[in-house]
Amino acid sequence: MDIVSPQNTRVKEWAQLLEKKHRTRQHKYIIEGIHLVQEALRAGADLECIVYDGEQGVPVELAGLENPLKRVEWVSVSPAVIAKCTDTMTPQPIFAIVRKSKESLQSLIAEPQGLVVVLDGVQDPGNVGTIIRSADAAGAAGVVLGAGCADVYNPKTIRSTMGSLFHLPIVEGELQSLLPEAKAAGVRLVSTSLQAAYSCYSYDFTQPVWLVIGNEGKGISDTTAQLVDDAITIPMQGQAESLNAAMAATILLFEAMRQRMV
């Protein structure tokens, strides 16, 4: 077994990645569990190392998945080390350290007929992760996270993506500078509003569209609202006052996908 003690210097550095300030300083993050490590390997993510419970051995699900072009260190550790470095109550016997990648806004703008989700102050990690997963499922070109959003590298956010984090570009930045750049390139910015006159089912999603999803309680900020081109509504027949951010984003994404598949 390579590392037994939770007090090992390297283990302490891994455990620090459970906190945002250390993820920012180290430019790395931690993923937990067989499924996420599988998805990271399949997607060719920039893995620094894969850490597994030496008492159980390497999970059979990961056999043959290592990319020969990207050397990844495999480290055998004790169950105590696994427990120290994971966020869940009943940790799975494996986690990995991933180096952050820097995605370019230009890659999203250049996407022909691009469909992008923009998050403006979406604070719930589960919502952020679910929206990333829905964007992946609907074939979106990427996701943009503005200031005030839950950290995409938060363990709860990562778990909610179910691996979609590795399947599409995720750009972080200030919306007040990013969105005008997208508009200048011909992108239409669309948001939802209960007062909007147009239904999402009559809107033309076949053009380059960026869907702007706002904070769970307040919606999009006033400064972002001034940049939006079109407001649409999601028709509802029941008595629910509104939908949460992830549900609304998913409905719009799949309506856009439906239109683009016709």
Side-chain angles (χ1 to χ4, degrees):
M1 195 173 293
D2 297 318
I3 302 176
V4 175
S5 173
Q7 301 308 314
N8 178 280
T9 301
R10 198 173 183 193
V11 172
K12 290 180 179 179
E13 289 185 356
W14 294 338
Q16 286 177 343
L17 296 176
L18 296 173
E19 298 181 43
K20 182 176 180 179
K21 64 181 181 181
H22 293 293
R23 293 193 291 268
T24 300
R25 181 178 61 82
Q26 294 188 40
H27 303 288
K28 301 172 189 173
Y29 59 100
I30 193 166
I31 59 173
E32 305 172 27
I34 294 170
H35 176 71
L36 284 172
V37 175
Q38 272 182 324
E39 291 301 314
L41 284 169
R42 286 171 176 156
D46 191 4
L47 296 175
E48 177 180 279
C49 62
I50 297 173
V51 183
Y52 63 94
D53 185 336
E55 293 183 1
Q56 298 186 37
V58 176
V60 294
E61 295 90 339
L62 302 180
L65 281 181
E66 185 170 2
N67 185 341
L69 300 179
K70 290 188 177 181
R71 300 287 299 176
V72 180
E73 180 187 9
W74 293 73
V75 184
S76 168
V77 301
S78 67
V81 171
I82 295 282
K84 184 178 179 68
C85 298
T86 51
D87 181 63
T88 51
M89 292 294 292
T90 53
Q92 293 193 51
I94 191 164
F95 66 86
I97 306 301
V98 190
R99 299 181 185 94
K100 291 184 180 182
S101 60
K102 184 71 173 177
E103 301 291 352
S104 166
L105 180 72
Q106 294 305 318
S107 66
L108 298 185
I109 292 176
E111 190 75 27
Q113 301 300 304
L115 175 64
V116 172
V117 184
V118 179
L119 304 187
D120 181 18
V122 179
Q123 296 178 331
D124 182 81
N127 278 340
V128 172
T130 299
I131 291 170
I132 291 171
R133 186 178 179 185
S134 293
D136 178 22
V143 177
V144 175
L145 271 67
C149 287
D151 181 13
V152 69
Y153 303 111
N154 179 306
K156 293 184 177 65
T157 309
I158 292 173
R159 283 197 296 273
S160 296
T161 72
M162 290 296 289
S164 289
L165 171 73
F166 305 115
H167 300 162
L168 74 174
I170 298 173
V171 175
E172 299 178 275
E174 291 292 336
L175 298 186
Q176 302 318 303
S177 58
L178 299 182
L179 296 184
E181 195 173 340
K183 285 167 65 77
V187 168
R188 300 289 294 182
L189 300 182
V190 182
S191 69
T192 58
S193 169
L194 296 175
Q195 289 75 44
Y198 297 100
S199 161
C200 64
Y201 301 116
S202 61
Y203 188 78
D204 179 13
F205 283 108
T206 62
Q207 60 187 323
V209 170
W210 287 21
L211 305 171
V212 184
I213 306 297
N215 174 272
E216 291 85 352
K218 303 175 183 176
I220 63 174
S221 66
D222 292 339
T223 50
T224 300
Q226 293 173 10
L227 297 170
V228 168
D229 298 301
D230 303 309
I232 57 177
T233 186
I234 299 174
M236 295 184 289
Q237 291 188 337
Q239 298 181 54
E241 182 179 319
S242 62
L243 299 171
N244 79 4
M247 292 175 67
T250 299
I251 290 170
L252 298 180
L253 281 162
F254 276 80
E255 172 58 16
M257 183 186 75
R258 185 193 68 79
Q259 291 186 21
R260 290 162 180 240
M261 291 176 66
V262 173

